[in-house]
Amino acid sequence: MAKFIIQGGKSLSGEIKVAGSKNAALKIFPVALLTKEIIRVSNAPEIEDVLRARETLVALGGEVKKIKDGVFDINFKGNKYIDLPSELVNKFRASIVFVGPMLATRGKASFPHPGGCVIGAASRPIDMFLSGFKKMGAKVEILRYGSGQVYRLTAKKLKGAEIFFPKITVTGTESLMMTACLAEGETILKNCAMEPEIIALADFLNSIGAKIEGAGAPTIKIKGVNKLKGGEYKIIPDRIDAGTFAILAAGSNSGEVLIENCNPGHLEALWSLFDKIGVNYFLGKNSVKIMPVKKLSACDVTTHEYPGFVTDLQSPYTVLMTQACGSSLIHETIYDRRLIFTDILTQMGANITMCDPHRAVVTGPTKLYGRKLVSPDLRAGAALIIAALIANGKTEIDNIYQIDRGYERLDERLRKIGANIKRIN
Ligand code: EPU
């Protein structure tokens, strides 16, 4: 298994480029099922989860042609029905987004429970997807085989429906929004997620013939159309990539770091926290500069759906708080397993008290010390890299597949700002 070896305590400065958004890129592959024409995708991140989405499209009969780095054409002309490949569905949560387009164009979809980061209740639930598809006229069956189960969904023709999400869901909103594009009549989605990736997806779908109104607001209306065309989809910058680097630069607090190719407007909740804790930063149009300061102050955080503080940056922020003066309460409201990694941080020297699965108190500043560890999931993995870069001594991080799932060539990019990080295969 590949590992990272990190020698901590080096001063970090220079420029670092943000990649295309993982969570935007993953959703364009299922969109390919909705049209027979070519979609040209650009600014695509080369990460493991995107490779899995690509493999899923190909397994279903689609084509992906690389034009150059970060640019490819995707196309789905096939008429044959193929079950979603379980070995891929088991690997990434966003595989669930293929289900709606399969139903809309093939009339059925069969798949096991999707995998991905183990950060939520036992296995992250898909009940809101299933009830949304049911409202659109699909029949949902759960077939049990020994200890496993398979979902089988069938629908002659999906119909527009009014769907209320009892809990805000990003992929749920995206999934039902894209599926409704080819359903008969109007669909109204209520209590939708408002993430920038959803707006980007709706804008693209509208550019190829869909009729979507309201993306980025809690209510989205979609009028079904008969077909969609092809088009060009430029993936927006990854706000989590940008936020991770901003937090790393603030935590390392050793030199000037310029984070390029990002959209600072997508991270307002982070900047407002930076104001409170005293980070010295400057926002450009497509960049953020972080400069060293004498002292950082602790500040509580509560994760929230967009535009609130994003759960995906909670673990990096928790590491940052180990370097700030005072106590901060970290309240993770979205997932109940995203604070488990603090155990590893404590072993590195952090002073963290877990109150319950959703809340932890970090008291700083504390020195961190390198050690051997295993990356538990994608964002905790990135957070532990930050900790290792700040720490005294050597850290060995195992299971970096988890990190490669969402961060493009992270070690290469970090070396450009002076980090001592090596990949061992
Ligand atoms: N939920 C349900 N039932 C459902 C769907 C979701 O109870 O049918 C719950 C989840 O268990 C969770 C909450 O609703 O407690 C929110 O989950 P959501 O559906 O919004 O998460 P997601 O769409 O699966 C996306 C991102 C995540 C990011 C969250 C929240 C993708 C592929 N994933 O997940 O990204 O944390 O939104 O912003 O878009 C990551 O990049 O590391 C990552 C996990």
Side-chain angles (χ1 to χ4, degrees):
M1 252 202 285
K3 288 180 189 178
F4 282 141
I5 309 283
I6 297 169
Q7 194 66 48
K10 299 275 176 279
S11 158
L12 304 180
S13 63
E15 287 111 52
I16 190 158
K17 281 202 173 65
V18 169
S21 158
K22 164 178 90 79
N23 289 344
L26 290 175
K27 322 300 166 47
I28 197 63
F29 294 91
V31 168
L33 262 62
L34 297 170
T35 170
K36 296 218 177 292
E37 296 182 27
I38 293 174
I39 298 174
R40 171 151 300 179
V41 184
S42 61
N43 198 34
E46 292 194 6
I47 51 176
E48 293 294 336
D49 269 16
V50 166
L51 289 175
R52 302 295 85 78
R54 212 179 139 144
E55 286 161 13
T56 307
L57 180 67
V58 171
L60 293 174
E63 284 169 21
V64 179
K65 190 169 141 205
K66 182 167 174 177
I67 307 299
K68 58 180 181 179
D69 281 350
V71 181
F72 47 81
D73 285 348
I74 54 180
N75 195 6
F76 189 76
K77 290 204 191 101
N79 278 322
K80 230 170 83 189
Y81 168 81
I82 298 171
D83 282 350
L84 279 164
S86 49
E87 65 285 4
L88 289 167
V89 175
N90 283 331
K91 283 195 178 132
F92 72 113
R93 161 90 178 168
S95 55
I96 181 80
V97 187
F98 283 90
V99 172
M102 286 293 287
L103 264 180
T105 57
R106 300 287 176 277
K108 57 179 169 173
S110 185
F111 58 99
H113 196 86
C117 279
V118 186
I119 50 179
S123 55
R124 288 154 73 186
I126 60 166
D127 54 311
M128 292 191 279
F129 294 80
L130 300 179
S131 74
F133 294 136
K134 259 191 204 162
K135 284 231 159 106
M136 294 176 85
K139 179 175 164 201
V140 175
E141 292 166 282
I142 303 176
L143 312 172
R144 297 190 198 278
Y145 297 107
S147 59
Q149 62 179 35
V150 169
Y151 301 93
R152 190 165 66 195
L153 274 56
T154 40
K156 279 213 176 74
K157 173 80 191 155
L158 291 174
K159 294 200 170 56
E162 263 194 52
I163 297 164
F164 176 83
F165 295 108
K167 201 168 174 184
I168 297 176
T169 161
V170 174
T171 38
T173 301
E174 292 168 326
S175 202
L176 290 164
M177 180 173 86
M178 67 173 79
T179 305
C181 288
L182 294 184
E184 206 175 275
E186 187 178 58
T187 298
I188 303 179
L189 304 177
K190 293 179 183 166
N191 198 27
C192 295
M194 303 191 284
E195 270 64 3
E197 293 76 20
I198 296 176
I199 303 178
L201 177 64
D203 287 347
F204 174 70
L205 286 165
N206 282 338
S207 78
I208 62 169
K211 293 209 163 92
I212 303 172
E213 262 177 40
T219 300
I220 303 181
K221 291 185 181 168
I222 307 111
K223 285 205 175 89
V225 296
N226 287 330
K227 64 180 211 169
L228 297 175
K229 302 177 289 188
E232 289 191 23
Y233 186 51
K234 182 169 183 206
I235 293 172
I236 58 171
D238 196 308
R239 62 198 161 97
I240 311 304
D241 211 34
T244 304
F245 297 140
I247 291 174
L248 165 64
S252 146
N253 204 10
S254 51
E256 224 172 82
V257 177
L258 181 69
I259 300 155
E260 297 176 310
N261 287 2
C262 59
N263 184 340
H266 290 166
L267 284 165
E268 281 176 312
L270 179 63
W271 314 137
S272 110
L273 274 176
F274 272 15
D275 289 338
K276 289 187 185 148
I277 64 182
V279 176
N280 186 8
Y281 67 99
F282 172 79
L283 304 184
K285 190 164 170 266
N286 304 109
S287 64
V288 185
K289 194 197 277 182
I290 311 286
M291 291 148 289
V293 286
K294 283 217 174 72
K295 174 187 144 185
L296 295 171
S297 310
C299 182
D300 298 348
V301 73
T302 300
T303 60
H304 196 279
E305 293 84 4
Y306 191 84
F309 186 84
V310 59
T311 166
D312 301 338
L313 286 178
Q314 175 267 108
S315 359
Y317 183 80
T318 302
V319 175
L320 180 60
M321 285 302 97
T322 67
Q323 303 307 299
C325 297
S327 290
S328 46
L329 173 70
I330 312 291
H331 187 179
E332 168 58 59
T333 62
I334 313 286
Y335 296 112
D336 52 16
R337 301 186 63 154
R338 262 203 166 159
L339 281 173
I340 292 180
F341 89 105
T342 55
D343 202 29
I344 307 176
L345 265 186
T346 305
Q347 290 163 25
M348 291 177 81
N351 180 351
I352 302 179
T353 308
M354 275 289 272
C355 310
D356 59 50
H358 286 276
R359 291 175 308 152
V361 175
V362 184
T363 303
T366 45
K367 279 214 164 74
L368 300 177
Y369 299 92
R371 66 184 306 273
K372 277 193 178 177
L373 52 94
V374 178
S375 169
D377 65 72
L378 168 59
R379 305 302 172 190
L384 292 169
I385 289 184
I386 297 178
L389 289 170
I390 295 172
N392 292 342
K394 187 168 115 178
T395 298
E396 209 175 294
I397 305 186
D398 216 326
N399 194 25
I400 61 171
Y401 173 80
Q402 287 299 333
I403 301 168
D404 290 337
R405 285 185 42 220
Y407 290 92
E408 180 179 87
R409 293 190 287 270
L410 188 56
D411 48 327
E412 246 177 77
R413 289 189 290 159
L414 289 174
R415 278 196 293 273
K416 288 210 172 110
I417 56 167
N420 185 340
I421 173 168
K422 263 192 283 186
R423 177 185 290 267
I424 310 278
N425 283 313

